[in-house]
Amino acid sequence: MPSTTHTLHIDYWQYSMCDGSDLPPTAAAHSKVTSGNNLVTAGEGYARFRSGTQWGKIWVTVNLCETEPLLVLDAWEAVVDVSYHSPEGKTYLYTWDFSLPEDAGNLAHAGPGWYRTRVQTRGRAEGRRHDSSKEPVEEHSISLWPATGPEPDRVHKMDDAFPARR
């Protein structure tokens, strides 16, 4: 299972995963994530992730899996699975201003089609209170594995005391 960790620059509490050059619809995605599971929303060719850090840096680890990874809840404050569709099979991680982190690579490792995406976080509430000029305090882990089709969002855990609206 290839895994990479990045220090990702955050603005406006968000970052994205997009297929090719398709940029996510900002207003619609933000409205869905704040009214939905409060962590991630996905649509055709995009996923929008919500951080606790308004601006500054967070750690993001990306895990490319062949099958669904073992569900680990103890180490994380929030854990959510969503379905993501990659029409082109070229999915990349983007910062808010759509810059690419170095060495993140193509996340659609099985080519075009459906993926399940597990997002795990810790430190979102602390990130909300954190001085952004210091080292990151918030950590996200994103795992992707091929799927046969879409499934409903599944909230496994949401214990991070992070407010639904900023």
Side-chain angles (χ1 to χ4, degrees):
M1 167 175 65
S3 177
T4 57
T5 300
H6 310 278
T7 304
L8 198 64
H9 180 77
I10 298 297
D11 272 320
Y12 299 100
W13 299 277
Q14 61 192 318
Y15 62 99
S16 300
M17 180 174 79
C18 306
D19 206 55
S21 59
D22 293 338
L23 304 180
T26 302
H30 182 74
S31 174
K32 279 178 68 177
V33 76
T34 56
S35 64
N37 63 47
N38 187 29
L39 179 57
V40 57
T41 188
E44 181 71 15
Y46 78 90
R48 175 67 51 87
F49 306 94
R50 187 162 184 237
S51 66
T53 301
Q54 181 179 3
W55 59 82
K57 295 178 181 176
I58 67 170
W59 291 294
V60 178
T61 298
V62 177
N63 306 294
L64 304 180
C65 309
E66 296 303 318
T67 60
E68 182 176 355
L70 182 65
L71 180 62
V72 177
L73 298 176
D74 293 344
W76 300 97
E77 297 168 345
V79 180
V80 175
D81 290 355
V82 297
S83 291
Y84 169 78
H85 187 252
S86 174
E88 297 178 28
K90 298 177 182 173
T91 298
Y92 300 95
L93 193 62
Y94 289 91
T95 62
W96 176 81
D97 65 355
F98 300 106
S99 300
L100 290 163
E102 288 186 35
D103 301 326
N106 182 6
L107 307 184
H109 59 288
W114 286 100
Y115 291 82
R116 280 301 271 179
T117 304
R118 178 167 296 149
V119 184
Q120 300 167 266
T121 67
R122 58 180 155 233
R124 283 200 311 161
E126 188 177 353
R128 186 175 173 90
R129 298 183 302 270
H130 185 65
D131 178 348
S132 62
S133 66
K134 297 180 181 177
E135 285 296 310
V137 296
E138 183 174 351
E139 183 176 358
H140 291 208
S141 175
I142 303 169
S143 298
L144 291 100
W145 63 95
T148 57
E151 296 179 32
D153 291 5
R154 181 153 184 215
V155 176
H156 296 284
K157 183 177 183 180
M158 193 58 70
D159 291 344
D160 65 359
F162 187 77
R165 299 227 178 243
R166 59 176 156 84

